[in-house]
Amino acid sequence: MNDQSLFAALRAAFPANLDSVAIETADGPAGQPFTPQHYTWRDLERGTAMLANLLAGLALPPASRIAVQVDKSVEALMLYLAVLRAGHVFLPLNTAYQAAEIEYFIGNAEPAVVVCTPKNFAWVSRLAFSSGVGHVFTLGDDRSGSLLERASHCSDQHKPVPKQADELAAILYTSGTTGRSKGAMLSHGNLLSNARTLQSYWGWRSAREGGDVLIHALPIFHVHGLFVASHGALLNGSRMIWFNRFDPAAVIARLPEATVFMGVPTLYVRLLADARLDRDACRTMRLFIAGSAPLLAETFHAWEQRTGHTILERYGMSETVMLTSNPYHAVEGERRAGTVGFPLPGVSVRVIDPARPGQPLPAGEIGGIEVKGPSVFAGYWRMPEKTQEEFTADESGDRWFKTGDVGRFDERGYLTIVGRSKDLIISGGYNVYPAEIEGFINEMPGVAESAVVGLPHPDFGEGVIAVIVPKPGATLDPAAVVGALKGCIANFKVPKQVFVVPELPRNAMGKVQKNLLREQHQGLFAR
């Protein structure tokens, strides 16, 4: 059998010298004395083998789901690799999820094994065992827990289980802002094809070219940190400087040892707030990548001015991994603020008029974004009806995934994400795209960021409101904001009310949770 597994490809990319450093820790468990740990490629080989042998000893059915909700650590990354190595399916769970959410995920995915933090063992194990889960282990970010204790007695020799490209590798549950979370099923082929595309498109350097060093400061329960960042370094045989938690000062101190950094926009804003960030600190860096949430043009330009580097913004989803990217090489075009660049090689992206399914819109017009390509998932776990609903087939038989995002192409082919289709506001029969209004508000003096949402309105169906965060020391007048907007956009788009708040609610990846804003102000116009 020709092994097409993701693990086999990652393992084949390990450097010839297995005793060179693969991962160096840059921090440790909170509140504990820190001593840097250096993990060699041989450590990754032996550690994943021992964990895979532990799973093999449980006599699990093939392709069992392994649900994991643990704090970030190198051992947690090894567990992910070991699950792939053992031929099972990895199910990462956000560390912020609470009991009711975990109960749903366990009930829906029916994992054979659950791994949680030692502090959560009592309640997680109770939920797991009551749902028929056979095994519950613990794993702490200080290398404690029953998982490593059991694995320490296992052999460090293991033959990886071969897989075909279309076999399931991971299930990622979407955030579930509208209804129950859905489990996106990603295959070995989905993940490996995307990793290889990004390795080439983003110019990952081989050892002969001087190599790359990645600062890894993202969570690993999500596409960005677990797949894009980790796969990028592993597939390139590149060293990682590993942060369990993001600390701006600590990251800046390690930048001169690195060449690549990936972050959500919030991380870039926090780095810019530290005066130690300058061109000298970034002298060895070749690439800064942003994603998972929109990057403000102000942050884009401030970063360029301070560091001399232009952030590369890209676009992807849990269901598709990465889809588009601003260019890496200058000959392919400049990196444009407010855009997510061009479709990646092998990926097709189109903007569709919802009233005319299958008919792409011309440049400049806003519509629903649909995609197809080798990284697009097969469907949602145990939701065939939802899967069918989210895909559309052309007369040619091509299968396009309806992303739920709204956007437009410009004349040069750059894609701009305008918002989510569920965030579209229909006020008085007119379509209002929040991102357009947010763009105007964010350019106003004293504004740090904004979020625009629609609320039920007795006359207009939905009424537009804006929630704004001021810059430090700035004072914003809601009436003045409304007055300024009336001079730049149509009146039906102007917010009927503006709120000034200290911060916007965000999830763990930095995305603004507009559903919480809608809930908070739900009865505004009814009153």
Side-chain angles (χ1 to χ4, degrees):
M1 176 182 176
N2 181 25
D3 190 358
Q4 299 174 313
S5 77
L6 172 61
F7 179 81
L10 297 177
R11 176 60 184 87
F14 284 16
N17 179 12
L18 291 180
D19 293 316
S20 60
V21 174
I23 304 175
E24 176 188 348
T25 60
D27 60 11
Q32 296 186 24
F34 170 61
T35 302
Q37 301 291 327
H38 295 81
Y39 295 78
T40 65
W41 296 95
R42 192 179 306 278
D43 291 332
L44 296 187
E45 163 63 26
R46 294 181 62 249
T48 58
M50 295 167 76
L51 287 164
N53 279 322
L54 169 59
L55 295 173
L58 301 178
L60 307 176
S64 290
R65 276 79 60 204
I66 313 297
V68 178
Q69 189 197 33
V70 299
D71 295 322
K72 183 181 178 181
S73 68
V74 178
E75 286 72 26
L77 179 66
M78 286 191 190
L79 174 58
Y80 162 60
L81 297 174
V83 170
L84 297 178
R85 181 172 190 156
H88 296 303
V89 179
F90 194 69
L91 177 60
L93 296 173
N94 191 319
T95 52
Y97 287 145
Q98 299 301 307
E101 294 160 308
I102 297 299
E103 184 176 22
Y104 167 73
F105 296 129
I106 290 175
N108 184 252
E110 295 187 299
V113 177
V114 171
V115 184
C116 65
T117 61
K119 66 181 180 182
N120 290 342
F121 177 74
W123 67 266
V124 171
S125 62
R126 186 167 57 250
L127 288 175
F129 291 139
S130 66
S131 297
V133 176
H135 308 275
V136 179
F137 297 99
T138 59
L139 175 61
D141 60 356
D142 57 356
R143 299 201 278 184
S144 65
S146 60
L147 183 78
L148 299 184
E149 164 60 26
R150 287 280 298 275
S152 68
H153 301 288
C154 297
S155 169
D156 64 359
Q157 301 295 311
H158 176 269
K159 184 178 180 180
V161 175
K163 288 286 178 179
Q164 292 298 298
D166 60 356
E167 290 189 81
L168 194 56
I171 298 175
L172 265 67
Y173 278 90
T174 60
S175 57
T177 54
T178 56
R180 281 296 195 183
S181 293
K182 307 179 293 293
M185 299 186 292
L186 294 166
S187 70
H188 288 263
N190 290 150
L191 298 175
L192 181 54
S193 66
N194 202 242
R196 285 174 169 161
T197 295
L198 296 177
Q199 182 186 28
S200 172
Y201 196 79
W202 287 345
W204 281 89
R205 300 186 307 196
S206 67
R208 293 190 304 275
E209 299 168 312
D212 272 311
V213 177
L214 170 71
I215 288 185
H216 197 305
L218 290 162
I220 56 171
F221 52 73
H222 186 267
V223 163
H224 199 167
L226 183 61
F227 298 152
V228 182
S230 300
H231 289 173
L234 292 170
L235 191 63
N236 202 57
S238 293
R239 182 166 67 95
M240 286 187 263
I241 299 174
W242 187 270
F243 284 87
N244 286 352
R245 293 169 307 283
F246 176 74
D247 177 81
V251 167
I252 292 169
R254 303 303 296 271
L255 284 175
E257 303 170 54
T259 60
V260 180
F261 176 82
M262 300 185 191
V264 299
T266 302
L267 303 194
Y268 286 99
V269 171
R270 292 177 182 175
L271 288 167
L272 282 166
D274 193 309
R276 285 164 288 197
L277 178 73
D278 57 20
R279 295 187 178 220
D280 185 61
C282 301
R283 62 186 179 275
T284 65
M285 296 294 295
R286 71 167 182 87
L287 185 58
F288 290 95
I289 299 170
S292 299
L295 182 74
L296 294 179
E298 180 182 5
T299 305
F300 178 92
H301 294 303
W303 188 270
E304 190 171 30
Q305 182 177 13
R306 181 89 72 86
T307 70
H309 288 270
T310 307
I311 295 173
L312 182 154
E313 192 170 5
R314 86 300 178 279
Y315 165 58
M317 304 179 68
S318 297
E319 293 93 338
T320 64
V321 206
M322 294 302 101
L323 294 164
T324 74
S325 172
N326 267 273
Y328 171 66
H329 296 287
V331 294
E332 297 171 352
E334 73 274 22
R335 299 173 198 168
R336 291 191 171 185
T339 80
V340 292
F342 308 123
L344 288 166
V347 175
S348 297
V349 180
R350 65 186 187 183
V351 174
I352 296 297
D353 181 350
R356 296 186 301 150
Q359 297 299 313
L361 289 167
E365 294 195 25
I366 295 173
I369 298 173
E370 297 181 354
V371 300
K372 65 183 179 74
S375 67
V376 176
F377 76 138
Y380 293 111
W381 175 256
R382 291 179 174 171
M383 290 186 175
E385 296 84 3
K386 188 63 178 175
T387 298
Q388 185 174 3
E389 179 184 327
E390 297 301 326
F391 281 88
T392 181
D394 286 354
E395 294 179 0
S396 63
D398 287 342
R399 193 166 176 258
W400 294 78
F401 173 58
K402 296 180 283 187
T403 65
D405 288 320
V406 177
R408 64 172 177 268
F409 281 109
D410 67 14
E411 293 77 8
R412 291 191 55 192
Y414 286 82
L415 180 66
T416 295
I417 309 298
V418 174
R420 292 288 292 167
S421 58
K422 69 176 184 292
D423 292 332
L424 172 68
I425 303 166
I426 303 178
S427 184
Y430 294 101
N431 289 354
V432 178
Y433 295 99
E436 179 188 14
I437 304 169
E438 291 162 359
F440 284 106
I441 295 175
N442 293 340
E443 292 296 319
M444 293 181 181
V447 173
E449 60 179 341
S450 65
V452 170
V453 298
L455 301 176
H457 192 286
D459 295 323
F460 298 101
E462 286 185 290
V464 181
I465 72 163
V467 183
I468 305 176
V469 177
K471 290 181 177 178
T475 299
L476 296 175
D477 178 11
V481 171
V482 170
L485 286 173
K486 286 183 175 180
C488 2
I489 58 177
N491 198 53
F492 68 85
K493 301 178 184 178
V494 175
K496 300 188 181 305
Q497 198 147 341
V498 171
F499 298 90
V500 179
V501 300
E503 61 182 5
L504 298 174
R506 298 181 183 276
N507 64 16
M509 293 308 296
K511 291 183 180 180
V512 176
Q513 295 181 291
K514 290 190 173 182
N515 58 311
L516 297 183
L517 293 176
R518 283 189 285 264
E519 291 173 7
Q520 181 181 350
H521 298 284
Q522 184 68 22
L524 178 68
F525 297 121
R527 293 193 298 268

